[in-house]
């Protein structure tokens, strides 16, 4: 055990140092005028730091910011107590959680594949990818980095409960004995992750996926407590989000539109994973084109077909008797399990139960993309069995270097409110939210004429006239009272 930990120390240290390279710049970034006010700058409970009243408020503040994540509030309060709500400290704490998650993922993938090189490359791919930037560089997404870190600890504990050590092609039945202490630890970490962000609600299903992949069966009794935690937390979350107006605000979106957008989003995430360009803080909801919906549906069908093919290899679909022990793992099954992880974890955020007005979001991939790392690690491990290491390391190194550069460039977009929303207006179309927030920022920082023009564009693009009050305020700041009167 000690020798195994020593073998992981240097790769883990290298991974942490590499994660900091593109994100160290965030220490010089500011708060942004988009949720950071609700979470930190104008939140009196958070700014006063840790206190008994703040602890009670974190659990009882139903509807505030349209979310229920008491552990996230407590984390921000702890930062306020330690660092007086310094944006530099808050940004760097987010990076620390991201780096820690990468290390835990490295350990998990090492256990899963038995190949340290493959595990490192797959963990690095997840950590360096530009789609992670929104979750790490946005202070308000503390809930993302905190919940994922805790959920990964829960995953690690559940694998230990299964008795997973080093993955081999065939495992003896005796190695599948359970460890109740690890099961309780997994449940505790999952509960904490849920208190940080409810998006990890599908965790019990994901553990069932891993267990089936490893053992060929699922001991549902071990998952009962996890399912109870998920069920109770889900009820609280839906109630709070509805009370906060997040669900009602999206009720006008037809359900058919949500289904089409969900299909299109799968295609969008697939493209952004391969070609991470034109990433923005907000993608306005719109009816997807037929091409977008069909492309997303095709990607979804291909993934499901691959999963079915992997299941067929196990003999379950053909009713082949499974009386031979130990369980044989078909090469395609772990890859399929990782893809299934991505789809299942993405389910609560895909838009079928629409929360907010975004079509999709980069941050929604933070936890689901862990599944892609499982698939990638297994494929790399198999490739390393048949090919010299140097043939794989060169292209992998080039890909990771490119991802680090793109991540550094995308992170620089989050420097302040102006850079964030100017970029969003450049890479998206009819982005009323970006123009509205940019206009408010410019009006408040000595550029009222430019800000009023941005607000005017946002007003004309918003059919619900939700920004008319902001436009009137901006026109008054720009000394254009007559135009403000016409708006009101």
């Amino acid at each position: 055990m000690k020798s195994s930990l020593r073998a992981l120390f240097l790769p883990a240290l290298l991974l942490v140092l590499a994660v900091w390279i593109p994100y160290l710049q965030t220490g010089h970034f500011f708060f942004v005028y988009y949720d950071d006010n609700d979470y930190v700058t104008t939140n009196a409970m958070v700014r006063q730091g840790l206190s008994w009243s703040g602890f009670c408020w974190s659990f009882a503040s139903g509807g505030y910011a349209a979310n229920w994540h008491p552990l996230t509030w407590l984390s921000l309060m702890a930062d306020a107590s330690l660092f007086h709500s310094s944006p530099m400290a808050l940004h760097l704490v987010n990076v620390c959680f991201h780096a820690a998650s990468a290390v835990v993922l490295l350990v998990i993938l090492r256990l899963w594949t038995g190949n340290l090189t493959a595990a490192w490359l797959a963990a690095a791919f997840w950590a360096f990818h530009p789609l992670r930037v929104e979750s790490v560089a946005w202070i308000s997404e503390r809930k993302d980095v905190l919940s994922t870190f805790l959920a990964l600890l829960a995953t690690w504990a559940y694998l230990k409960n299964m008795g997973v050590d080093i993955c081999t092609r065939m495992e003896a039945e005796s190695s599948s004995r359970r460890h109740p202490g690890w099961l309780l630890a997994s449940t505790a970490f999952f509960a904490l992750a849920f208190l940080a962000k409810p998006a990890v609600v599908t965790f019990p299903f994901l553990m069932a996926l891993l267990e089936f992949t490893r053992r060929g069966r699922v001991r549902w009794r071990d998952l009962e407590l996890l399912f109870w935690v998920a069920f109770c937390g889900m009820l609280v979350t839906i109630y709070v989000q509805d009370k906060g107006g997040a669900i009602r605000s999206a009720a006008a979106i037809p359900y058919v539109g949500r289904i089409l957008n969900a299909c299109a989003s799968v295609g969008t995430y697939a493209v952004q994973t391969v070609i991470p360009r034109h990433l923005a803080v907000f993608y306005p909801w719109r009816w997807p084109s037929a091409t977008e919906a069909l492309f997303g549906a095709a990607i979804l069908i291909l993934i499901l077909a691959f999963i079915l093919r992997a299941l067929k290899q196990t003999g379950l679909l053909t009713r082949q008797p499974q009386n031979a022990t130990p369980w044989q793992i078909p090469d395609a099954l772990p890859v399929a399990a990782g893809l299934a992880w991505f789809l299942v974890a993405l389910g609560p955020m895909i838009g079928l139960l629409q929360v907010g007005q975004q079509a999709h979001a980069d941050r929604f991939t933070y936890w689901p993309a862990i599944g892609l790392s499982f698939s990638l690690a297994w494929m790399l491990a198999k490739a390393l069995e048949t090919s010299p290491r140097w043939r794989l390391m060169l292209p992998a190194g080039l890909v990771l270097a490119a991802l680090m550069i793109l991540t550094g460039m995308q992170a620089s977009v989050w420097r302040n409110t102006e850079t964030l929303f100017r970029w969003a207006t450049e890479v998206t179309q009819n982005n009323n939210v970006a123009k509205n927030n940019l206009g408010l920022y410019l009006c408040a920082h000595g550029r009222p004429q430019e800000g009023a023009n941005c607000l005017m564009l946002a007003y004309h693009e918003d059919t619900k006239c939700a920004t008319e009050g902001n436009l009137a305020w901006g026109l008054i700041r720009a000394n254009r009272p007559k135009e403000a009167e016409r708006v009101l």
Side-chain angles (χ1 to χ4, degrees):
M1 181 65 178
K2 291 182 179 179
S3 61
S4 178
L5 291 176
R6 283 196 297 268
L8 280 171
F9 177 76
L10 287 179
L13 180 61
L14 177 61
L15 183 61
V16 169
L17 294 177
V19 167
W20 275 92
I21 292 174
Y23 287 112
L24 186 60
Q25 60 182 311
T26 62
H28 301 287
F29 290 2
F30 302 92
F31 293 108
V32 295
Y33 285 10
Y34 192 55
D35 285 358
D36 281 356
N37 53 330
D38 290 333
Y39 279 79
V40 183
T41 57
T42 62
N43 191 319
M45 298 302 297
V46 169
R47 293 185 68 86
Q48 73 177 2
L50 287 173
S51 64
W52 176 246
S53 61
F55 178 85
C56 296
W57 176 85
S58 66
F59 282 88
S61 60
Y64 191 85
N67 277 296
W68 186 72
H69 39 50
L71 192 60
T72 296
W73 292 128
L74 293 173
S75 171
L76 294 171
M77 290 175 189
D79 285 349
S81 295
L82 293 172
F83 311 115
H84 304 289
S85 297
S86 163
M88 177 182 72
L90 292 170
H91 278 298
L92 296 182
V93 169
N94 274 16
V95 180
C96 287
F97 276 119
H98 182 59
S101 295
V103 171
V104 178
L105 180 59
L106 169 64
V107 175
I108 292 172
L109 296 178
R110 170 70 173 86
L111 286 174
W112 192 250
T113 64
N115 189 305
L116 181 57
T117 301
W120 196 95
L121 292 175
F125 179 83
W126 175 82
F128 299 165
H129 201 283
L131 282 175
R132 311 289 92 80
V133 170
E134 182 170 291
S135 296
V136 181
W138 191 4
I139 290 175
S140 296
E141 281 306 306
R142 168 66 59 82
K143 51 186 177 289
D144 235 4
V145 292
L146 178 57
S147 66
T148 297
F149 172 65
L150 293 168
L152 284 170
L153 290 177
T155 304
W156 185 7
Y158 196 84
L159 291 178
K160 299 295 288 185
N161 165 64
M162 288 167 50
V164 173
D165 185 13
I166 298 298
C167 186
T168 58
R169 291 292 297 240
M170 302 175 68
E171 291 186 333
E173 186 72 18
S174 60
S175 68
S176 64
R177 55 190 174 87
R178 280 346 197 219
H179 302 271
W182 285 112
L183 180 59
L184 291 176
S186 179
T187 304
F189 281 127
F190 169 54
L192 291 174
F194 200 105
L195 291 175
K197 186 177 182 180
V200 296
V201 64
T202 56
F203 178 81
F205 294 100
L206 303 180
M207 295 306 98
L209 275 174
L210 295 186
E211 185 167 6
F212 174 78
T213 302
R214 188 60 180 254
R215 305 295 184 204
R217 64 182 184 278
V218 179
R219 293 189 181 179
W220 295 104
R221 185 176 296 276
D222 284 357
L223 295 168
E224 285 180 357
L225 190 56
L226 291 173
F227 275 112
W228 274 110
V229 171
F231 177 72
C232 295
M234 183 177 61
L235 292 180
V236 174
T237 300
I238 293 176
Y239 169 77
V240 170
Q241 288 184 334
D242 183 63
K243 183 178 179 181
I247 296 178
R248 291 194 301 271
S249 66
I253 300 176
Y255 204 77
V256 174
R258 300 181 196 182
I259 295 175
L260 293 176
N261 180 68
C263 291
S265 295
V266 171
T268 299
Y269 291 137
V271 171
Q272 289 179 334
T273 298
V274 179
I275 309 174
R277 60 191 295 267
H278 291 172
L279 306 181
V281 63
F282 184 84
Y283 304 93
W285 197 97
R286 59 179 176 79
W287 282 89
S289 66
T291 301
E292 292 170 332
L294 289 174
F295 176 74
I299 294 294
L300 183 60
I301 291 172
L302 287 174
I303 293 175
L304 293 176
F306 183 82
I307 294 172
L308 289 175
R309 179 179 179 274
L311 287 174
K312 186 177 180 179
Q313 289 182 359
T314 67
L316 293 178
L317 298 183
T318 57
R319 298 183 179 180
Q320 178 180 336
Q322 295 294 320
N323 52 10
T325 58
W327 164 255
Q328 297 185 9
I329 304 176
D331 287 341
L333 188 58
V335 179
L339 295 174
W341 175 307
F342 179 78
L343 293 180
V344 172
L346 192 63
M349 300 169 283
I350 199 65
L352 295 178
L353 180 61
Q354 185 75 22
V355 177
Q357 295 294 328
Q358 71 283 333
H360 54 90
D362 299 349
R363 62 186 179 275
F364 291 167
T365 68
Y366 193 77
W367 168 243
I370 297 293
L372 300 182
S373 293
F374 272 88
S375 298
L376 180 61
W378 187 267
M379 290 188 292
L380 290 172
K382 294 304 169 185
L384 287 169
E385 290 180 359
T386 57
S387 301
R389 182 173 298 186
W390 64 269
R391 289 186 179 178
L392 182 65
M393 295 301 291
L394 180 59
L398 292 175
V399 170
L400 293 179
L403 289 177
M404 288 179 65
I405 293 172
L406 292 174
T407 294
M409 295 171 60
Q410 183 63 28
S412 67
V413 170
W414 287 84
R415 181 170 300 277
N416 55 49
T417 304
E418 182 177 359
T419 58
L420 179 64
F421 288 110
R422 278 199 185 281
W423 175 255
T425 59
E426 291 175 8
V427 299
T428 60
Q429 296 179 347
N430 301 324
N431 198 331
N432 170 64
V433 170
K435 293 172 183 175
N436 181 69
N437 283 273
L438 177 61
L440 293 174
Y441 177 84
L442 294 174
C443 288
H445 288 77
R447 296 153 71 181
Q449 296 295 340
E450 188 178 356
N453 291 335
C454 286
L455 291 170
M456 185 72 74
L457 289 174
Y459 174 75
H460 288 305
E461 291 174 2
D462 186 10
T463 57
K464 297 180 181 179
C465 301
T467 57
E468 59 185 11
N470 292 337
L471 175 59
W473 175 81
L475 291 171
I476 292 173
R477 294 276 298 188
N479 197 25
R480 294 154 65 178
K482 293 184 177 180
E483 294 180 64
E485 289 179 5
R486 287 198 295 268
V487 170
L488 297 174

